[in-house]
Amino acid sequence: MSLPFEKPIDDLEAKITDMRSYAEEQGIDLSEEIGLLERRLEQLKRDTFANITRWQRVQVARIAGRPTGLDYVANVFTDFEELHGDRTLGDDPALVTGLARLGEQTVIVMAQQKGRDTKENILRNFGMMHPSGYRKAMRMFDLADKFRLPIIAMVDTPGAYPGLSAEEQGQAWVISECIQRMSRLKVPAISLVIGEGGSGGALAIAVANRVLILENAIYSVISPESCAAIRWRDSSEAPQAAEALKLTAYDLLDLNVVDRVIDEPLGGAHKEVDATMAIVKSVLLQELGDLLKLDEVSLLEQRRARFRALGRFEEVLEAA
Amino acid sequence: MTLERWFRRKKPTKGDDDSSPVGLWLKCESCNAQIYRKDLVANLYVCPECQHHYQMPVDARLELLLDEGSFEQWSGHIQATDPLEFVDQEAYADKLKAAQEKHHRKDAIVTGSGLLNGLPVALSVMDFFFLGGSMGSVVGEEIARAVERAADEDRAFIAVTASGGARMQEGALSLMQMAKTTVALERLAEKHLPFISLLTDPTTGGTTASFATLGDIIIAEPKALICFAGPRVIQQTIKQELPEGFQRSEFLLEKGMLDDVLERSKLKDKFAAYIRLLSGKVPQVTLEAEHVATL
Ligand SMILES: [Zn+2]
């Protein structure tokens, strides 16, 4: 669960562990030395993560052991009841949906789910949804409107599944419909990018009143690898592409693509899962509390205006 | 070449801003026949031998769909700012500038109003020759503005698409144009104005997965490639040959994704018919007559 750039941290941690067990074995007091190293470790971690490159951020966003959608469902929410199926094509395991409580409030929660191991990855199709998954999401939007339940959507996908059957079943059609359906919600909607926000497949469940992102998560129009393959004709240029795409949480905050960045424990969400869950829960409670003060019309208008305003361009005087 | 100048000409001619086949004669990429360039242009960029539909320059498309002299351009008052300062093997800013100079427009789209068989319409036409018709902030904004103005002026809206998808040099901002164009369409929907989407070769990625597939009526030109993920990407995923005609208009019609596949020469009259029929609310007089009849 460590990345190449974290090696100095791992080495120092190993050294501290060794010193501790040595001190214990020999019955000697090395607390002063250990304390010194621990302070150095803390500083090293801070320095490392303060200077992390965008590509390293991508690696943290995808690291094995990083909390997945279901981890948030289990730890941030209570009383979760999973609901299956899109009523047309099937049930897409890449999107988990259901009823739950966030604090006192009943909500509809949906989470794109990557696998936590190879077996689950295959079952969940690495979090890449088929048209059926987007239909399931739309079914949940209907349910949310009918019972006046807020939507909380967790985004974590490399993108919509680029396969034969997905195209045959109208992947593009169902994504545009899902974007439109979500934009029409009469209830509060919050989307939280927890890992990888991959292109239209992510956006389809992120047309929310508030779009939040974890500090080490990414959200991009294309993966760095695919971007490199197209623009550099070499997918090994992905680190450069990651830099160019400005796909990190704070980049996206600057571009108004996201509304708020949720800081993670030092080293990433996977280092201190309980702390991550606690932070996410408190932020979601606060954000939902604010949205619950808005009426149906204001929610619709705010969401529409939010997305209508996105983009950067300049006015020119003469028409061309 | 400006559109105004173009419309003063009687016959479509080769402009220096399109990338249509060059040279006096050309070999049809579909049937290999030798075609006289002028014949191809006069035949709406459709091969006279095999009816293969070539990509059509924006100006010719406007001429095809609108009554003569009725076009009023709305777009062209905004331009991209390179918000990411994106550089790959060359700088996006330079690429954009070169495209602007070559194609004599600010970005990969033209919008405006006009008459279609006398019916007031507004339309957006994507320019595939301008950076692959990719949708960045400007394309998204032009579409959104045109749709909203169409709603304000009670015009039906026609979107002609030809696009490689989102413009990756604008990163997540280009992705957001999918949502922006979608929410802009609400204004049109609220006024019950028809939205016809015409998908032309090729329409892919984020363009297909947003406004392009939200038309009340969705029409495609023959054999156009229309998809979310491109054939090469899918081939990489499934590692086998794709079936013949996969992701082409006729295939999609069969799968229920389109209302029809229409030859270019039929588009204008068909669109007029759709708009008239969609605007054909039950007239008051009929209701009264029926009321009288039931008495
Ligand atoms: Zn031919």
Side-chain angles (χ1 to χ4, degrees):
Chain A
M1 288 208 314
S2 257
L3 295 162
F5 73 90
E6 294 177 294
K7 184 152 193 315
I9 296 173
D10 293 347
D11 289 350
L12 193 53
E13 271 174 346
K15 201 170 164 188
I16 293 169
T17 312
D18 285 352
M19 202 180 268
R20 264 214 195 91
S21 51
Y22 179 76
E24 206 168 302
E25 275 166 30
Q26 304 294 320
I28 51 173
D29 181 18
L30 291 173
S31 56
E32 206 169 305
E33 288 85 348
I34 290 170
L36 194 74
L37 286 182
E38 278 177 335
R39 282 192 294 281
R40 203 197 289 170
L41 176 66
E42 187 68 14
Q43 193 56 44
L44 180 63
K45 279 186 185 171
R46 277 186 203 292
D47 291 348
T48 304
F49 280 87
N51 297 307
I52 185 172
T53 66
R54 292 189 174 88
W55 175 240
Q56 288 166 343
R57 202 74 89 174
V58 172
Q59 293 170 296
V60 176
R62 293 172 177 169
I63 196 169
R66 185 173 171 84
T68 64
L70 277 174
D71 295 315
Y72 291 92
V73 169
N75 293 295
V76 172
F77 300 85
T78 55
D79 306 296
F80 177 62
E81 295 293 343
E82 184 168 2
L83 301 175
H84 291 278
D86 74 346
R87 304 293 189 265
T88 307
L89 293 164
D91 182 42
D92 189 344
L95 183 77
V96 177
T97 63
L99 301 163
R101 281 206 175 82
L102 178 66
E104 301 293 302
Q105 176 67 50
T106 305
V107 299
I108 287 183
V109 61
M110 55 179 69
Q112 288 170 331
Q113 178 63 17
K114 288 182 177 177
R116 285 160 290 194
D117 51 44
T118 309
K119 200 177 149 201
E120 195 189 8
N121 252 328
I122 290 164
L123 171 75
R124 304 284 181 188
N125 197 29
F126 298 84
M128 293 184 286
M129 285 158 69
H130 282 79
S132 172
Y134 297 102
R135 293 204 179 283
K136 181 158 76 168
M138 286 191 272
R139 202 194 127 215
M140 291 299 137
F141 296 148
D142 290 346
L143 206 60
D145 273 345
K146 181 168 178 184
F147 291 94
R148 311 215 46 74
L149 302 174
I151 290 278
I152 312 281
M154 250 86 63
V155 176
D156 192 12
T157 180
Y161 183 61
L164 199 84
S165 62
E167 289 288 316
E168 282 181 352
Q169 293 164 356
Q171 189 73 289
W173 278 254
V174 80
I175 289 174
S176 66
E177 207 185 329
C178 200
I179 290 169
Q180 185 176 61
R181 180 63 190 88
M182 192 171 187
S183 79
R184 290 174 173 173
L185 278 172
K186 295 170 185 165
V187 294
I190 300 172
S191 294
L192 169 61
V193 186
I194 56 171
E196 216 177 344
S199 190
L203 174 65
I205 62 160
V207 190
N209 295 92
R210 296 281 287 172
V211 181
L212 319 177
I213 189 168
L214 287 178
E215 185 187 1
N216 291 307
I218 55 165
Y219 191 8
S220 181
V221 66
I222 188 168
S223 73
E225 289 86 349
S226 301
C227 179
I230 297 167
R231 305 238 68 89
W232 280 264
R233 297 179 198 288
D234 180 359
S235 56
S236 68
E237 296 287 353
Q240 275 208 64
E243 286 302 312
L245 284 167
K246 307 265 195 296
L247 41 56
T248 68
Y250 281 101
D251 290 329
L252 297 163
L253 190 65
D254 285 343
L255 296 167
N256 301 328
V257 169
V258 301
D259 303 300
R260 177 171 181 173
V261 177
I262 303 176
D263 287 335
E264 295 179 27
L266 196 56
H270 56 294
K271 299 282 185 190
E272 291 174 55
V273 175
D274 290 346
T276 304
M277 297 299 153
I279 302 166
V280 166
K281 185 170 184 175
S282 78
V283 171
L284 286 179
L285 279 169
Q286 186 229 314
E287 293 283 350
L288 185 59
D290 290 347
L291 290 177
L292 285 170
K293 291 173 195 147
L294 301 176
D295 64 14
E296 186 179 310
V297 175
S298 312
L299 284 166
L300 260 168
E301 279 176 359
Q302 184 271 336
R303 200 180 311 115
R304 245 206 247 186
R306 184 196 183 281
F307 286 90
R308 176 65 185 84
L310 287 173
R312 294 279 168 90
F313 52 85
E314 61 189 10
E315 305 283 335
V316 287
L317 290 175
E318 85 291 8
Chain B
M1 181 168 63
T2 66
L3 291 168
E4 290 70 25
R5 268 176 57 209
W6 198 92
F7 275 102
R8 265 183 253 128
R9 303 186 185 194
K10 274 196 172 156
K11 287 272 169 194
T13 48
K14 169 86 175 76
D16 55 4
D17 63 339
D18 66 53
S19 308
S20 50
V22 195
L24 212 56
W25 291 87
L26 58 102
K27 196 162 111 178
C28 174
E29 65 180 37
S30 177
C31 71
N32 289 327
Q34 292 286 320
I35 331 166
Y36 194 33
R37 238 204 73 81
K38 256 169 74 179
D39 291 343
L40 179 71
V41 173
N43 199 40
L44 308 172
Y45 295 82
V46 176
C47 172
E49 297 298 321
C50 72
Q51 305 306 310
H52 178 72
H53 283 54
Y54 284 87
Q55 290 169 350
M56 196 177 207
V58 172
D59 301 347
R61 179 69 68 183
L62 292 168
E63 161 113 335
L64 171 76
L65 293 177
L66 296 178
D67 301 347
E68 201 179 340
S70 70
F71 180 66
E72 184 202 329
Q73 187 172 329
W74 291 348
S75 59
H77 300 281
I78 53 174
Q79 65 180 359
T81 56
D82 186 18
L84 271 50
E85 296 174 3
F86 191 100
V87 178
D88 48 61
Q89 287 169 322
E90 61 183 304
Y92 170 48
D94 295 340
K95 254 191 125 172
L96 190 65
K97 199 157 172 256
Q100 287 172 338
E101 278 164 15
K102 186 174 177 203
H103 302 288
H104 306 284
R105 56 179 122 259
K106 294 292 180 198
D107 217 300
I109 194 154
V110 173
T111 70
S113 63
L115 296 172
L116 187 152
N117 287 358
L119 297 164
V121 299
L123 74 183
S124 66
V125 182
M126 296 177 105
D127 184 356
F128 189 75
F129 304 116
F130 190 112
L131 301 184
S134 54
M135 176 161 67
S137 296
V138 171
V139 169
E141 181 70 17
E142 292 282 19
I143 291 169
R145 286 184 184 188
V147 164
E148 287 161 353
R149 186 163 164 188
D152 290 344
E153 297 183 4
D154 289 318
R155 295 171 184 275
F157 193 81
I158 299 166
V160 183
T161 63
S163 172
R167 187 171 296 169
M168 70 183 87
Q169 297 98 324
E170 291 187 22
L173 285 177
S174 65
L175 181 67
M176 294 302 124
Q177 304 311 306
M178 294 168 65
K180 177 157 94 182
T181 53
T182 299
V183 298
L185 286 168
E186 298 297 274
R187 287 263 285 274
L188 209 60
E190 282 158 5
K191 294 194 78 176
H192 305 280
L193 290 161
F195 169 32
I196 299 170
S197 186
L198 173 64
L199 313 178
T200 77
D201 186 57
T203 297
T204 71
T207 300
T208 321
S210 62
F211 70 96
T213 46
L214 291 172
D216 300 307
I217 293 180
I218 308 175
I219 301 299
E221 290 195 327
K223 292 189 181 136
L225 174 71
I226 300 158
C227 59
F228 179 60
R232 251 177 303 168
V233 176
I234 292 169
Q235 217 155 6
Q236 278 168 17
T237 312
I238 64 165
K239 298 185 169 50
Q240 63 188 49
E241 286 298 303
L242 298 173
E244 177 78 20
F246 181 62
Q247 298 180 316
R248 298 281 164 180
S249 308
E250 295 72 15
F251 173 89
L252 292 165
L253 180 66
E254 210 172 282
K255 294 288 170 194
M257 298 300 153
L258 304 172
D259 288 289
D260 216 340
V261 177
L262 295 174
E263 282 170 29
R264 201 165 273 166
S265 59
K266 301 207 169 96
L267 292 172
K268 189 178 181 181
D269 289 346
K270 283 281 192 179
F271 286 4
Y274 299 148
I275 293 168
R276 285 211 175 86
L277 288 165
L278 283 174
S279 312
K281 283 169 282 188
V282 181
Q284 196 64 31
V285 60
T286 315
L287 284 173
E288 278 168 11
E290 268 176 24
H291 181 64
V292 171
T294 54
L295 284 177

